[in-house]
PDB file of all heavy atoms in Angstrom:
ATOM      1  N   LEU A 212      15.591  -4.038   8.603  1.00 86.00           N
ATOM      2  CA  LEU A 212      14.266  -4.586   8.847  1.00 86.00           C
ATOM      3  C   LEU A 212      13.148  -3.553   8.625  1.00 86.00           C
ATOM      4  O   LEU A 212      12.065  -3.865   8.102  1.00 86.00           O
ATOM      5  CB  LEU A 212      14.168  -5.212  10.229  1.00 86.00           C
ATOM      6  CG  LEU A 212      14.946  -6.514  10.341  1.00 86.00           C
ATOM      7  CD1 LEU A 212      15.137  -6.913  11.770  1.00 86.00           C
ATOM      8  CD2 LEU A 212      14.244  -7.661   9.574  1.00 86.00           C
ATOM      9  N   ASN A 213      13.446  -2.278   8.981  1.00 87.00           N
ATOM     10  CA  ASN A 213      12.437  -1.218   8.742  1.00 87.00           C
ATOM     11  C   ASN A 213      12.262  -0.978   7.246  1.00 87.00           C
ATOM     12  O   ASN A 213      11.175  -0.654   6.826  1.00 87.00           O
ATOM     13  CB  ASN A 213      12.912   0.071   9.410  1.00 87.00           C
ATOM     14  CG  ASN A 213      12.374   0.142  10.841  1.00 87.00           C
ATOM     15  OD1 ASN A 213      11.195  -0.143  11.097  1.00 87.00           O
ATOM     16  ND2 ASN A 213      13.207   0.490  11.802  1.00 87.00           N
ATOM     17  N   ALA A 214      13.370  -1.088   6.473  1.00 90.00           N
ATOM     18  CA  ALA A 214      13.271  -0.900   5.043  1.00 90.00           C
ATOM     19  C   ALA A 214      12.437  -2.014   4.401  1.00 90.00           C
ATOM     20  O   ALA A 214      11.626  -1.774   3.505  1.00 90.00           O
ATOM     21  CB  ALA A 214      14.643  -0.874   4.432  1.00 90.00           C
ATOM     22  N   LEU A 215      12.595  -3.227   4.930  1.00 89.00           N
ATOM     23  CA  LEU A 215      11.852  -4.333   4.424  1.00 89.00           C
ATOM     24  C   LEU A 215      10.353  -4.163   4.803  1.00 89.00           C
ATOM     25  O   LEU A 215       9.472  -4.377   3.940  1.00 89.00           O
ATOM     26  CB  LEU A 215      12.403  -5.677   5.003  1.00 89.00           C
ATOM     27  CG  LEU A 215      11.633  -6.952   4.644  1.00 89.00           C
ATOM     28  CD1 LEU A 215      11.547  -7.139   3.120  1.00 89.00           C
ATOM     29  CD2 LEU A 215      12.343  -8.162   5.253  1.00 89.00           C
ATOM     30  N   THR A 216      10.106  -3.743   6.035  1.00 87.00           N
ATOM     31  CA  THR A 216       8.733  -3.492   6.478  1.00 87.00           C
ATOM     32  C   THR A 216       8.079  -2.491   5.587  1.00 87.00           C
ATOM     33  O   THR A 216       6.917  -2.618   5.217  1.00 87.00           O
ATOM     34  CB  THR A 216       8.729  -3.006   7.937  1.00 87.00           C
ATOM     35  OG1 THR A 216       9.486  -3.934   8.721  1.00 87.00           O
ATOM     36  CG2 THR A 216       7.329  -2.944   8.464  1.00 87.00           C
ATOM     37  N   GLN A 217       8.789  -1.380   5.304  1.00 89.00           N
ATOM     38  CA  GLN A 217       8.195  -0.294   4.498  1.00 89.00           C
ATOM     39  C   GLN A 217       7.814  -0.854   3.126  1.00 89.00           C
ATOM     40  O   GLN A 217       6.713  -0.551   2.617  1.00 89.00           O
ATOM     41  CB  GLN A 217       9.229   0.850   4.390  1.00 89.00           C
ATOM     42  CG  GLN A 217       8.672   2.061   3.622  1.00 89.00           C
ATOM     43  CD  GLN A 217       7.461   2.727   4.270  1.00 89.00           C
ATOM     44  OE1 GLN A 217       7.225   2.586   5.475  1.00 89.00           O
ATOM     45  NE2 GLN A 217       6.681   3.441   3.517  1.00 89.00           N
ATOM     46  N   ASN A 218       8.679  -1.686   2.548  1.00 89.00           N
ATOM     47  CA  ASN A 218       8.337  -2.258   1.241  1.00 89.00           C
ATOM     48  C   ASN A 218       7.158  -3.215   1.368  1.00 89.00           C
ATOM     49  O   ASN A 218       6.322  -3.284   0.472  1.00 89.00           O
ATOM     50  CB  ASN A 218       9.559  -3.015   0.668  1.00 89.00           C
ATOM     51  CG  ASN A 218      10.388  -2.114  -0.199  1.00 89.00           C
ATOM     52  OD1 ASN A 218       9.978  -1.719  -1.293  1.00 89.00           O
ATOM     53  ND2 ASN A 218      11.539  -1.699   0.303  1.00 89.00           N
ATOM     54  N   ALA A 219       7.104  -3.985   2.456  1.00 86.00           N
ATOM     55  CA  ALA A 219       6.013  -4.956   2.623  1.00 86.00           C
ATOM     56  C   ALA A 219       4.682  -4.237   2.830  1.00 86.00           C
ATOM     57  O   ALA A 219       3.653  -4.727   2.357  1.00 86.00           O
ATOM     58  CB  ALA A 219       6.291  -5.855   3.818  1.00 86.00           C
ATOM     59  N   TRP A 220       4.700  -3.108   3.491  1.00 85.00           N
ATOM     60  CA  TRP A 220       3.443  -2.421   3.801  1.00 85.00           C
ATOM     61  C   TRP A 220       3.001  -1.438   2.745  1.00 85.00           C
ATOM     62  O   TRP A 220       1.829  -1.202   2.593  1.00 85.00           O
ATOM     63  CB  TRP A 220       3.528  -1.717   5.160  1.00 85.00           C
ATOM     64  CG  TRP A 220       3.460  -2.706   6.291  1.00 85.00           C
ATOM     65  CD1 TRP A 220       3.101  -4.009   6.215  1.00 85.00           C
ATOM     66  CD2 TRP A 220       3.750  -2.489   7.679  1.00 85.00           C
ATOM     67  NE1 TRP A 220       3.185  -4.626   7.436  1.00 85.00           N
ATOM     68  CE2 TRP A 220       3.560  -3.705   8.364  1.00 85.00           C
ATOM     69  CE3 TRP A 220       4.201  -1.368   8.395  1.00 85.00           C
ATOM     70  CZ2 TRP A 220       3.789  -3.844   9.725  1.00 85.00           C
ATOM     71  CZ3 TRP A 220       4.374  -1.521   9.784  1.00 85.00           C
ATOM     72  CH2 TRP A 220       4.210  -2.727  10.415  1.00 85.00           C
ATOM     73  N   ASP A 221       3.968  -0.809   2.076  1.00 85.00           N
ATOM     74  CA  ASP A 221       3.480   0.305   1.252  1.00 85.00           C
ATOM     75  C   ASP A 221       3.455   0.017  -0.261  1.00 85.00           C
ATOM     76  O   ASP A 221       2.838   0.805  -1.003  1.00 85.00           O
ATOM     77  CB  ASP A 221       4.158   1.611   1.641  1.00 85.00           C
ATOM     78  CG  ASP A 221       5.162   2.155   0.678  1.00 85.00           C
ATOM     79  OD1 ASP A 221       4.813   2.231  -0.497  1.00 85.00           O
ATOM     80  OD2 ASP A 221       6.263   2.575   1.002  1.00 85.00           O
ATOM     81  N   THR A 222       3.978  -1.110  -0.709  1.00 89.00           N
ATOM     82  CA  THR A 222       3.906  -1.385  -2.154  1.00 89.00           C
ATOM     83  C   THR A 222       2.679  -2.209  -2.491  1.00 89.00           C
ATOM     84  O   THR A 222       2.312  -2.400  -3.645  1.00 89.00           O
ATOM     85  CB  THR A 222       5.120  -2.172  -2.695  1.00 89.00           C
ATOM     86  OG1 THR A 222       5.272  -3.351  -1.863  1.00 89.00           O
ATOM     87  CG2 THR A 222       6.375  -1.379  -2.612  1.00 89.00           C
ATOM     88  N   GLY A 223       2.004  -2.727  -1.437  1.00 90.00           N
ATOM     89  CA  GLY A 223       0.801  -3.540  -1.689  1.00 90.00           C
ATOM     90  C   GLY A 223       1.171  -4.957  -2.095  1.00 90.00           C
ATOM     91  O   GLY A 223       0.309  -5.786  -2.407  1.00 90.00           O
ATOM     92  N   ALA A 224       2.468  -5.302  -2.006  1.00 91.00           N
ATOM     93  CA  ALA A 224       2.916  -6.657  -2.392  1.00 91.00           C
ATOM     94  C   ALA A 224       2.545  -7.632  -1.291  1.00 91.00           C
ATOM     95  O   ALA A 224       2.877  -7.401  -0.101  1.00 91.00           O
ATOM     96  CB  ALA A 224       4.422  -6.663  -2.601  1.00 91.00           C
ATOM     97  N   GLY A 225       1.883  -8.717  -1.659  1.00 90.00           N
ATOM     98  CA  GLY A 225       1.537  -9.751  -0.678  1.00 90.00           C
ATOM     99  C   GLY A 225       0.207  -9.524   0.055  1.00 90.00           C
ATOM    100  O   GLY A 225      -0.129 -10.231   0.932  1.00 90.00           O
ATOM    101  N   TRP A 226      -0.538  -8.489  -0.377  1.00 94.00           N
ATOM    102  CA  TRP A 226      -1.831  -8.192   0.266  1.00 94.00           C
ATOM    103  C   TRP A 226      -2.972  -8.996  -0.347  1.00 94.00           C
ATOM    104  O   TRP A 226      -4.040  -9.091   0.197  1.00 94.00           O
ATOM    105  CB  TRP A 226      -2.184  -6.737   0.138  1.00 94.00           C
ATOM    106  CG  TRP A 226      -1.337  -5.782   0.878  1.00 94.00           C
ATOM    107  CD1 TRP A 226       0.004  -5.662   0.894  1.00 94.00           C
ATOM    108  CD2 TRP A 226      -1.808  -4.682   1.703  1.00 94.00           C
ATOM    109  NE1 TRP A 226       0.439  -4.575   1.651  1.00 94.00           N
ATOM    110  CE2 TRP A 226      -0.683  -3.946   2.188  1.00 94.00           C
ATOM    111  CE3 TRP A 226      -3.100  -4.243   2.073  1.00 94.00           C
ATOM    112  CZ2 TRP A 226      -0.779  -2.853   3.003  1.00 94.00           C
ATOM    113  CZ3 TRP A 226      -3.191  -3.124   2.891  1.00 94.00           C
ATOM    114  CH2 TRP A 226      -2.028  -2.453   3.358  1.00 94.00           C
ATOM    115  N   GLY A 227      -2.799  -9.464  -1.604  1.00 96.00           N
ATOM    116  CA  GLY A 227      -3.900 -10.135  -2.306  1.00 96.00           C
ATOM    117  C   GLY A 227      -4.720  -9.130  -3.122  1.00 96.00           C
ATOM    118  O   GLY A 227      -5.621  -9.523  -3.850  1.00 96.00           O
ATOM    119  N   LEU A 228      -4.398  -7.840  -3.010  1.00 97.00           N
ATOM    120  CA  LEU A 228      -5.161  -6.795  -3.714  1.00 97.00           C
ATOM    121  C   LEU A 228      -4.822  -6.765  -5.194  1.00 97.00           C
ATOM    122  O   LEU A 228      -5.679  -6.724  -6.048  1.00 97.00           O
ATOM    123  CB  LEU A 228      -4.947  -5.447  -3.094  1.00 97.00           C
ATOM    124  CG  LEU A 228      -5.270  -5.321  -1.579  1.00 97.00           C
ATOM    125  CD1 LEU A 228      -4.795  -3.971  -1.039  1.00 97.00           C
ATOM    126  CD2 LEU A 228      -6.789  -5.408  -1.376  1.00 97.00           C
ATOM    127  N   ILE A 229      -3.508  -6.817  -5.463  1.00 97.00           N
ATOM    128  CA  ILE A 229      -3.055  -6.795  -6.867  1.00 97.00           C
ATOM    129  C   ILE A 229      -3.540  -8.053  -7.559  1.00 97.00           C
ATOM    130  O   ILE A 229      -3.931  -8.031  -8.725  1.00 97.00           O
ATOM    131  CB  ILE A 229      -1.505  -6.661  -6.915  1.00 97.00           C
ATOM    132  CG1 ILE A 229      -1.112  -5.260  -6.346  1.00 97.00           C
ATOM    133  CG2 ILE A 229      -0.989  -6.809  -8.325  1.00 97.00           C
ATOM    134  CD1 ILE A 229       0.386  -5.011  -6.165  1.00 97.00           C
ATOM    135  N   LEU A 230      -3.467  -9.163  -6.814  1.00 97.00           N
ATOM    136  CA  LEU A 230      -4.017 -10.443  -7.349  1.00 97.00           C
ATOM    137  C   LEU A 230      -5.456 -10.274  -7.825  1.00 97.00           C
ATOM    138  O   LEU A 230      -5.852 -10.742  -8.876  1.00 97.00           O
ATOM    139  CB  LEU A 230      -3.882 -11.472  -6.217  1.00 97.00           C
ATOM    140  CG  LEU A 230      -4.287 -12.939  -6.445  1.00 97.00           C
ATOM    141  CD1 LEU A 230      -3.618 -13.785  -5.370  1.00 97.00           C
ATOM    142  CD2 LEU A 230      -5.737 -13.181  -6.443  1.00 97.00           C
ATOM    143  N   THR A 231      -6.254  -9.581  -6.991  1.00 97.00           N
ATOM    144  CA  THR A 231      -7.666  -9.426  -7.295  1.00 97.00           C
ATOM    145  C   THR A 231      -7.849  -8.593  -8.558  1.00 97.00           C
ATOM    146  O   THR A 231      -8.636  -8.943  -9.429  1.00 97.00           O
ATOM    147  CB  THR A 231      -8.397  -8.762  -6.111  1.00 97.00           C
ATOM    148  OG1 THR A 231      -8.111  -9.530  -4.952  1.00 97.00           O
ATOM    149  CG2 THR A 231      -9.859  -8.666  -6.339  1.00 97.00           C
ATOM    150  N   TYR A 232      -7.149  -7.450  -8.679  1.00 97.00           N
ATOM    151  CA  TYR A 232      -7.248  -6.629  -9.879  1.00 97.00           C
ATOM    152  C   TYR A 232      -6.745  -7.390 -11.118  1.00 97.00           C
ATOM    153  O   TYR A 232      -7.274  -7.207 -12.207  1.00 97.00           O
ATOM    154  CB  TYR A 232      -6.442  -5.319  -9.710  1.00 97.00           C
ATOM    155  CG  TYR A 232      -7.184  -4.176  -9.021  1.00 97.00           C
ATOM    156  CD1 TYR A 232      -8.347  -4.426  -8.328  1.00 97.00           C
ATOM    157  CD2 TYR A 232      -6.677  -2.890  -9.066  1.00 97.00           C
ATOM    158  CE1 TYR A 232      -9.024  -3.407  -7.645  1.00 97.00           C
ATOM    159  CE2 TYR A 232      -7.392  -1.845  -8.392  1.00 97.00           C
ATOM    160  CZ  TYR A 232      -8.519  -2.103  -7.686  1.00 97.00           C
ATOM    161  OH  TYR A 232      -9.193  -1.096  -7.066  1.00 97.00           O
ATOM    162  N   ALA A 233      -5.715  -8.237 -10.895  1.00 97.00           N
ATOM    163  CA  ALA A 233      -5.136  -8.962 -12.027  1.00 97.00           C
ATOM    164  C   ALA A 233      -6.098 -10.003 -12.614  1.00 97.00           C
ATOM    165  O   ALA A 233      -5.940 -10.438 -13.758  1.00 97.00           O
ATOM    166  CB  ALA A 233      -3.832  -9.670 -11.592  1.00 97.00           C
TER     167      ALA A 233
END
Side-chain angles (χ1 to χ4, degrees):
Chain A
L212 287 166
N213 270 314
L215 177 56
T216 307
Q217 184 61 21
N218 269 288
W220 285 348
D221 109 49
T222 54
W226 291 50
L228 302 171
I229 294 172
L230 182 160
T231 306
Y232 274 14

